[in-house]
Amino acid sequence: MTATRNIIIIGNGMVGHYCAEQLVAQGLHENHAIHIFGDEIHDAYDRVHLTGYMNGHDALALRLHADGFHTHHGLTLHRGVRVTRIDRAARMVESAEGPLSYDTLILATGSTPFVPPVPGNTGTAGLVYRTLDDLDMIRAAAEGASHGVVIGGGLLGLEAANALAGLGLSTAVVEFAPRLMPVQLDDEGGQALKQRIEALGIEVLTSHATQRIIAGEIQRHRLVFADGTFLETDLVVFSAGIRAQDRLARDCGLEIGPRGGVVIDGQCRTSDPAIYAIGECACWNGQVFGLVAPGYTMARTLAATLAGEDAAFAGADMSTRLKLLGVDVGSIGDAHGTTPGSRSYRFIGEVDGSYRRLVLSADGSRVLGAVLVGDNAYYDTILQYVQNAIRPPADPAALILPRGEGADLLGADALPDMAMICSCHNVTKGAICTAIEGGCTDLAALKQSTKASTGCGGCSGLLGNVFETELEARGIAVDHSLCEHFSHTRQELYSLVRVHGIQTFEDLMAQYGNGGLGCDICKPAVGSILASAWNRPITDPLYIPLQDTNDTFMANMQKNGTYSVVPRIAGGEITPEKLIVLGQVARKYGLYTKITGGQRIDLFGARLDQLPDIWAELLDAGFETGQAYGKSTRTVKSCVGSTWCRYGVQDSVGKALDLENRYKGLRSPHKLKFAVSGCTRECAEAQSKDVGVIATENGWNLYVCGNGGMRPRHAELFATDLDAPTLVKYIDRFLMFYIRTADKLQRTSVWRENLEGGLEYLRDVIIKDSLGICAELERQMQMVVDHYHCEWRDALTDREKLKRFRTFVNDSRPDPDIRTMPERDQVRPAENLPAATAPAGPQDWTELCGLDDLVAKSGVVAWHDGSQIALFYLPATGDAPARVFAIDNHDPFSNANVIGRGIMGDLKGQLVVASPLYKQHFRLVDGQCLEDPAIRLRTWDARVENAKVAIRARPVAAPPEPVSA
């Protein structure tokens, strides 16, 4: 018998984990023992979207793999274990766990932030922006701080600046070079980016060399620059580049590049034939690559090589597209025009601060590169010209001129098969066409098959364009259906509901649906449409099965299955008496408290059974629901305006109160955030909201379609110097037109980007009434305003509705698995624990609860002998008898007990429940996870007899059946 050969990967970052996936894809896990060592205690996570962690996402949301990935494939993950030495002669690695031999060693150790040796760069003056732990340190340093500095104006530096601004700090960026992003942008592009970022309130200091950091007089620290000037701040984040993490390679004598990095050949092999290097620690042809896509290409090359295939790494395209602080920035190919004889076209938009440069070859026959600042709509087209040597149009300048004057976008049909669509996963147009020929006729299936657009996501627009073009070329109609249950878009369904006066999901399904129960896509979408159209209470029993858990229980579910409570604090204005009540409630129920960016106070950690008692106390104190749980109007943020501020020119607080009280409760395709600033100093950040209002000497300026989050977008100036009635009229029309025409879960910013005719068309509709619908839009909004009700007040006066707020329908105990731990004088959730081994269940039929404890087409949870059992009830219809399904309440992907609060539906004829946290689907009949064949929840037999619900244990489950949905 042949001994198992060992493959060791040192590094569990994005590239190291992707390498492990590629080894599995090549089948190498079947005849090798694969070990992965990672310094961090976390699972592999998405560093590209680290900003999302600063914006409130937890580490699990960034995780790159499903729970159980390593176990399922027989991989051994050494989490939080640092390899300290490589013994090449013995082919061993050493760690705190002891020595481990290897046959093949893969270095995927990445890079480390470069911190210049500036005297004083310690503590809160020496932070870096690289890992989750780094971000936790930045967040801790920001407590009690008012100002932050980022040293370094490159890609990561501007991301760090965005994070500091998101923490509410006044922020400055200090760059040694004469422009921002000196690697990617030319002088004009850097200047355009500087102007745009400064317009957002972030100070930019270029050509500044920090000589030392000393104690500050006002803030914690003082940065002293080479020219003698200084800047005081409370914390300093260094983002001055990266250095290959090649210490292990140096120590064991591997060849190192002149500027660092482990030297590799085309197969990613180092100077030792048993050792390979990939990602940011590798040096190929004298170059170290600082983007994830080249690392992925190296990982694919290496896995193919180890599998005996011919493969070679031949370099990587370093073009990049991103949104920095809400500003589009793109750099393609030879952006600086360094190719001998190259010529350039430039477009400078002084009005909006945009800049575009197109670089051509000396003879004009090829597009070599481009710089884009302000609008990345041009990126995909120019990238394809560069990558595929497509001859430019007769007037190449048309490629960068404003769309109304320039050439059309390069059509997907003009791209060759070798055109790279997704560089993260090396997916060409040809591969997409092959997948479509193989039966991938919906976008989700295409992404699952090819992995296109599952990396950084930057190619999603181009992927959709190619997909639809190729379907049409094959005579296949492009399906824009909401889901398998409705062959209509959300916009079409909204019109059908309004025109025909449809009041229920069942009526809509019967008249315009394809049959079935619905699913976790169409149910919430239709529930939102019905609420927007008729403003009926979401607590209506007819609507309960449609709602996600947040709307069902009128609170935001957190990662451990508890909820946050967010009462409305209109305009951010609150009396001392109400502040005291919030503190008393939080202390009484042991809740974590935090002030939000929308000027409200969140109370975290409420158990399901505590929600009615908490809200009863809040309502008695004069609060009302803040609808923070719904896709609806959230907050209207404000500064103090002219009533207090010496710069204010209008009463911004009063205006914010008027707007929030008018639009509260308005249901929409996605959440809506407003802000009102009392002057152009813009302290309320109105230009980052869906609706922003800024005071002027002559009235109010209206901004629309902005948002923060992972894809920030600057709001656009819609109208100026409006009086109060006109301002409200325009907002009424704008919101109802958005609600009428947007797609499901589509922010106003994305809706605006997809709106044909752009901002001018929107102005024509809203201001000039070009469609003749403004009077109708105003009537619809007034109906919503007139029928406002506090949903929690409705629930507390209805005993039937209160029955939903029980952890277990047959037991008064709380969930015993909800645990907390102390942190900074408050509590936070302890890590959720995997499901404990519980008894199999009763061998004979055992009653759990009454039939009246169940909710039709929805779930509840019962307790039995240490097991939490989610019960889903499908009432009798026609000849079909009533059915009850009993399934484990424990979600294996989050380790929270929440399955009973998921949406019940059907997918391709199979009854399923969607987890309320991360939306995996489980078949109710046998617990099989549709997304991961290795996962199956425990199920029990269940029946209804004499109005009682009973269960009994099932035999040990057989191996999972093939998943077809």
Side-chain angles (χ1 to χ4, degrees):
M1 183 174 179
T2 304
T4 302
R5 297 172 64 81
N6 278 358
I7 297 176
I8 295 178
I9 302 173
I10 303 178
N12 191 38
M14 294 182 73
V15 172
H17 172 71
Y18 185 75
C19 181
E21 289 185 330
Q22 293 305 301
L23 296 179
V24 169
Q26 291 284 358
L28 293 169
H29 64 302
E30 296 173 359
N31 49 24
H32 290 78
I34 300 176
H35 294 260
I36 304 141
F37 286 84
D39 287 358
E40 295 186 69
I41 62 172
H42 308 285
D43 287 325
Y45 57 88
D46 183 359
R47 296 184 195 273
V48 174
H49 295 109
L50 269 182
T51 305
Y53 182 69
M54 294 297 276
N55 290 339
H57 296 179
D58 61 19
L60 192 61
L62 297 175
R63 191 171 65 174
L64 292 174
H65 57 82
D67 204 19
F69 166 79
H70 299 89
T71 302
H72 179 65
H73 295 295
L75 313 183
T76 303
L77 175 60
H78 304 262
R79 191 188 291 107
V81 178
R82 182 187 296 267
V83 172
T84 56
R85 180 173 176 269
I86 300 170
D87 185 339
R88 290 170 55 195
R91 291 198 175 184
M92 306 269 286
V93 300
E94 295 180 5
S95 72
E97 295 180 345
L100 182 65
S101 65
Y102 65 83
D103 297 283
T104 299
L105 178 62
I106 302 169
L107 301 179
T109 49
S111 62
T112 57
F114 171 64
V115 179
V118 177
N121 63 355
T122 59
T124 56
L127 302 166
V128 293
Y129 191 87
R130 188 69 176 169
T131 68
L132 291 174
D133 291 341
D134 293 336
L135 269 60
D136 286 337
M137 293 177 66
I138 291 173
R139 188 184 282 119
E143 292 186 11
S146 62
H147 189 279
V149 164
V150 176
I151 295 181
L155 296 176
L156 197 59
L158 295 179
E159 284 290 337
N162 187 31
L164 296 189
L167 291 172
L169 302 181
S170 297
T171 304
V173 176
V174 176
E175 169 57 47
F176 175 76
R179 63 179 181 273
L180 294 174
M181 293 182 62
V183 174
Q184 292 83 10
L185 301 183
D186 59 11
D187 288 338
E188 293 89 346
Q191 182 61 28
L193 180 60
K194 179 175 182 285
Q195 290 175 354
R196 285 213 165 203
I197 289 178
E198 286 178 333
L200 298 175
I202 292 178
E203 185 179 7
V204 178
L205 303 175
T206 54
S207 300
H208 274 64
T210 306
Q211 282 197 329
R212 62 186 184 277
I213 303 173
I214 60 177
E217 294 183 4
I218 300 175
Q219 262 95 23
R220 297 173 188 160
H221 312 292
R222 173 179 289 190
L223 279 68
V224 180
F225 302 119
D227 62 2
T229 61
F230 63 86
L231 175 66
E232 293 211 351
T233 188
D234 292 306
L235 59 96
V236 182
V237 178
F238 282 90
S239 183
I242 59 172
R243 297 293 184 268
Q245 177 66 282
D246 55 17
R247 181 188 57 80
L248 286 172
R250 288 178 185 272
D251 290 349
C252 71
L254 293 178
E255 184 181 354
I256 303 297
R259 300 185 64 183
V262 189
V263 173
I264 61 171
D265 61 15
Q267 284 67 48
C268 303
R269 189 181 293 108
T270 70
S271 53
D272 184 328
I275 303 178
Y276 298 78
I278 56 176
E280 293 175 339
C281 71
C283 176
W284 175 85
N285 203 23
Q287 185 176 7
V288 174
F289 297 91
L291 298 177
V292 69
Y296 282 1
T297 303
M298 291 179 187
R300 286 191 297 270
T301 300
L302 170 56
T305 298
L306 294 180
E309 300 177 8
D310 290 331
F313 178 75
D317 177 26
M318 297 298 286
S319 300
T320 185
R321 164 179 51 188
L322 62 161
K323 190 181 286 285
L324 297 166
L325 297 157
V327 180
D328 281 342
V329 178
S331 176
I332 299 171
D334 183 11
H336 292 281
T338 57
T339 303
S342 61
R343 300 178 296 169
S344 296
Y345 290 89
R346 288 178 171 87
F347 174 82
I348 300 174
E350 293 183 352
V351 174
D352 62 358
S354 61
Y355 171 77
R356 295 185 284 279
R357 176 185 182 182
L358 187 74
V359 182
L360 274 76
S361 61
D363 61 3
S365 65
R366 285 196 58 182
V367 179
L368 301 178
V371 175
L372 305 170
V373 176
D375 188 352
N376 270 340
Y378 302 81
Y379 184 92
D380 286 335
T381 294
I382 297 175
L383 180 65
Q384 295 305 323
Y385 273 101
V386 173
Q387 288 186 336
N388 300 296
I390 299 172
R391 190 173 185 85
D395 180 9
L399 294 175
I400 59 172
L401 288 175
R403 287 295 181 212
E405 306 167 25
D408 292 334
L409 285 169
L410 184 67
D413 53 352
L415 299 178
D417 282 349
M418 71 280 298
M420 185 61 64
I421 305 302
C422 175
S423 58
C424 286
H425 294 289
N426 199 37
V427 184
T428 64
K429 177 186 172 183
I432 290 169
C433 293
T434 299
I436 293 172
E437 293 286 355
C440 290
T441 56
D442 70 78
L443 195 56
L446 181 69
K447 289 181 178 180
Q448 185 175 21
S449 172
T450 65
K451 300 199 79 174
S453 195
T454 62
C456 73
C459 64
S460 58
L462 181 60
L463 176 66
N465 186 11
V466 171
F467 175 64
E468 293 190 2
T469 300
E470 291 302 319
L471 285 183
E472 291 170 352
R474 289 161 174 74
I476 302 173
V478 178
D479 187 5
H480 294 289
S481 300
L482 183 68
C483 65
E484 66 182 72
H485 300 97
F486 289 98
S487 301
H488 299 277
T489 64
R490 181 202 171 276
Q491 180 180 354
E492 291 166 346
L493 289 176
Y494 181 87
S495 297
L496 292 170
V497 165
R498 294 288 315 187
V499 171
H500 299 286
I502 296 172
Q503 300 276 338
T504 69
F505 180 85
E506 287 73 18
D507 286 346
L508 187 64
M509 179 69 81
Q511 296 180 48
Y512 299 103
N514 302 323
L517 285 182
C519 64
D520 56 310
I521 295 175
C522 63
K523 282 187 168 185
V526 172
S528 173
I529 289 170
L530 295 172
S532 298
W534 314 121
N535 212 26
R536 292 274 298 276
I538 61 170
T539 53
D540 188 307
L542 288 173
Y543 294 170
I544 287 296
L546 309 182
Q547 310 293 351
D548 204 345
T549 184
N550 289 1
D551 277 318
T552 298
F553 300 109
M554 297 175 290
N556 284 352
M557 178 179 277
Q558 304 303 316
K559 68 178 185 178
N560 64 345
T562 64
Y563 292 87
S564 62
V565 173
V566 190
R568 185 174 305 285
I569 301 177
E573 183 179 74
I574 187 169
T575 64
E577 291 74 19
K578 285 188 174 181
L579 274 174
I580 291 170
V581 169
L582 291 176
Q584 291 172 334
V585 168
R587 184 166 55 192
K588 178 177 178 179
Y589 294 94
L591 307 179
Y592 170 83
T593 58
K594 188 172 189 311
I595 299 174
T596 74
Q599 299 178 335
R600 296 197 290 197
I601 297 176
D602 277 13
L603 311 177
F604 289 83
R607 300 193 314 265
L608 177 64
D609 59 287
Q610 293 175 324
L611 289 174
D613 293 336
I614 291 171
W615 272 106
E617 295 191 33
L618 294 176
L619 291 176
D620 286 345
F623 287 101
E624 63 181 5
T625 178
Q627 266 106 12
Y629 43 81
K631 298 295 184 280
S632 59
T633 298
R634 294 288 181 87
T635 59
V636 182
K637 187 176 180 178
S638 71
C639 63
V640 294
S642 60
T643 53
W644 286 93
C645 179
R646 56 181 169 153
Y647 299 110
V649 296
Q650 302 281 359
D651 179 8
S652 54
V653 178
K655 182 58 62 183
L657 290 169
D658 292 343
L659 295 178
E660 185 156 353
N661 286 320
R662 179 171 182 79
Y663 300 116
K664 62 186 180 183
L666 175 66
R667 294 279 167 163
S668 56
H670 211 293
K671 60 188 175 185
L672 295 169
K673 295 187 177 183
F674 298 57
V676 183
S677 286
C679 72
T680 55
R681 295 172 71 88
E682 245 285 72
C683 293
E685 301 168 332
Q687 293 175 79
S688 64
K689 306 301 182 192
D690 299 280
V691 176
V693 178
I694 300 178
T696 71
E697 296 285 352
N698 301 314
W700 304 94
N701 285 352
L702 175 60
Y703 291 79
V704 296
C705 300
N707 70 261
M710 293 186 70
R711 290 189 63 234
R713 185 181 192 274
H714 205 274
E716 295 173 289
L717 180 60
F718 186 74
T720 60
D721 293 332
L722 302 176
D723 58 34
T726 305
L727 174 68
V728 170
K729 179 170 64 176
Y730 286 176
I731 296 175
D732 281 359
R733 295 174 178 179
F734 165 74
L735 292 175
M736 290 311 298
F737 187 59
Y738 160 64
I739 290 169
R740 174 183 286 200
T741 59
D743 200 357
K744 68 180 188 300
L745 299 178
Q746 190 175 51
R747 292 294 300 265
T748 60
S749 58
V750 181
W751 170 71
R752 154 65 185 87
E753 289 170 357
N754 293 331
L755 204 60
E756 291 188 19
L759 189 65
E760 283 308 312
Y761 169 74
L762 193 57
R763 287 194 180 110
D764 286 343
V765 173
I766 303 304
I767 298 176
K768 299 178 182 178
D769 197 13
S770 60
L771 299 181
I773 60 173
C774 284
E776 180 184 354
L777 297 176
E778 291 173 28
R779 285 194 301 272
Q780 290 173 1
M781 179 61 77
Q782 193 59 48
M783 188 273 292
V784 172
V785 172
D786 292 342
H787 288 81
Y788 169 76
H789 49 267
C790 174
E791 292 154 349
W792 262 108
R793 193 171 296 280
D794 291 344
L796 291 178
T797 56
D798 189 321
R799 292 178 61 86
E800 285 301 310
K801 292 175 182 176
L802 288 177
K803 286 171 61 176
R804 293 281 292 170
F805 295 89
R806 293 180 290 175
T807 303
F808 306 110
V809 294
N810 62 343
D811 197 291
S812 60
R813 76 184 74 199
D815 184 345
D817 294 334
I818 293 176
R819 304 175 305 115
T820 61
M821 58 188 297
E823 183 175 80
R824 297 188 295 274
D825 298 324
Q826 296 203 75
V827 296
R828 71 168 179 87
E831 288 300 314
N832 298 334
L833 298 176
T837 302
Q843 298 302 308
D844 299 319
W845 287 109
T846 301
E847 289 184 2
L848 283 187
C849 62
L851 182 60
D852 59 353
D853 288 314
L854 305 186
V855 178
K857 302 179 183 178
S858 188
V860 298
V861 181
W863 176 271
H864 182 271
D865 193 23
S867 296
Q868 298 190 28
I869 303 172
L871 300 172
F872 290 88
Y873 174 45
L874 188 61
T877 55
D879 296 332
R883 301 176 69 187
V884 177
F885 301 89
I887 188 170
D888 199 331
N889 191 43
H890 189 83
D891 176 9
F893 292 92
S894 65
N895 284 324
N897 298 320
V898 295
I899 294 298
R901 287 173 259 171
I903 292 178
M904 178 184 185
D906 59 353
L907 292 176
K908 298 182 180 179
Q910 302 181 91
L911 292 175
V912 298
V913 58
S915 167
L917 280 172
Y918 299 115
K919 310 306 180 186
Q920 290 86 3
H921 299 87
F922 301 91
R923 283 196 304 236
L924 290 174
V925 67
D926 61 3
Q928 177 63 54
C929 176
L930 301 190
E931 288 78 15
D932 189 339
I935 301 295
R936 177 186 277 191
L937 298 184
R938 184 170 47 158
T939 54
W940 294 262
D941 290 332
R943 73 179 185 187
V944 177
E945 192 171 81
N946 298 323
K948 297 293 184 181
V949 179
I951 66 160
R952 69 178 179 187
R954 283 183 175 173
V956 176
E961 303 172 12
V963 176
S964 60

